[in-house]
Amino acid sequence: MHPNAEIVAKVLLDQGATGVIVELPDSARTAQAAADQLGCEVGAIANSLLFDADGAPLLVLTSGAHRVDTAKVAALVGAAKVRRATPEFVREATGQPIGGVAPLGHPAPIRTLVDVWLDRYDQVWAAGGHPHTVFPSSYTELLRITGGTPAEVE
């Protein structure tokens, strides 16, 4: 298992999460690629998208069926501007590459919003720290293990 996935697996265990890391045969850099490999709806993929909110990292866990409305998110978090983070910003904040960013296992806590749409699914899938790894969870569990805030982000 990739070292990033090992870190995520340890944090999942430490947090008492129910899911374990699953290694996929192909890269799952997009929600659709992950859904295709897992045989689930794209909406059940919990995309971990990192944004630059006035220079601070902001993680948005959104349904793979949604696009994040950055103006809405900026208003929710009280930021003047929220924009997609650069690959370098993502790696620095999370220690993980774009396309594999997990909702946890980062060097330091990151403010997190969790798309309420994910609550429509009994099981959701989140990235495991590497583009070939994911783990199953639930909306409620994602809120708990990330310390995230429920939000409408689309």
Side-chain angles (χ1 to χ4, degrees), residues 14-46:
D14 291 349
Q15 292 285 339
T18 58
V20 295
I21 296 290
V22 174
E23 292 188 67
L24 300 172
D26 296 313
S27 175
R29 290 187 180 274
T30 67
Q32 189 63 61
D36 290 346
Q37 291 182 70
L38 294 165
C40 68
E41 292 181 36
V42 72
I45 302 299

Side-chain angles (χ1 to χ4, degrees), residues 2-151:
H2 189 275
N4 287 349
E6 288 178 2
I7 291 168
V8 173
K10 181 179 181 334
V11 174
L12 287 170
L13 185 64
D14 291 349
Q15 292 285 339
T18 58
V20 295
I21 296 290
V22 174
E23 292 188 67
L24 300 172
D26 296 313
S27 175
R29 290 187 180 274
T30 67
Q32 189 63 61
D36 290 346
Q37 291 182 70
L38 294 165
C40 68
E41 292 181 36
V42 72
I45 302 299
N47 277 339
S48 298
L49 303 176
L50 195 79
F51 292 88
D52 177 336
D54 295 340
L58 173 68
L59 185 64
V60 178
L61 302 181
T62 187
S63 166
H66 291 164
R67 295 192 69 112
V68 174
D69 180 333
T70 55
K72 182 185 263 188
V73 168
L76 286 172
V77 301
K81 186 167 188 169
V82 170
R83 62 181 175 211
R84 271 290 176 106
T86 65
E88 297 79 19
F89 189 92
V90 171
R91 179 80 70 166
E92 183 179 319
T94 68
Q96 302 163 356
I98 289 177
V101 173
L104 41 76
H106 312 133
I110 298 174
R111 185 175 187 181
T112 302
L113 300 179
V114 182
D115 187 352
V116 296
W117 187 270
L118 292 168
D119 195 25
R120 296 174 183 227
Y121 299 93
D122 292 333
Q123 183 177 64
V124 296
W125 291 87
H130 183 272
H132 283 266
T133 59
V134 293
F135 68 91
S137 190
S138 68
Y139 173 75
T140 302
E141 185 174 75
L142 284 176
L143 285 171
R144 180 180 63 78
I145 66 178
T146 65
T149 302

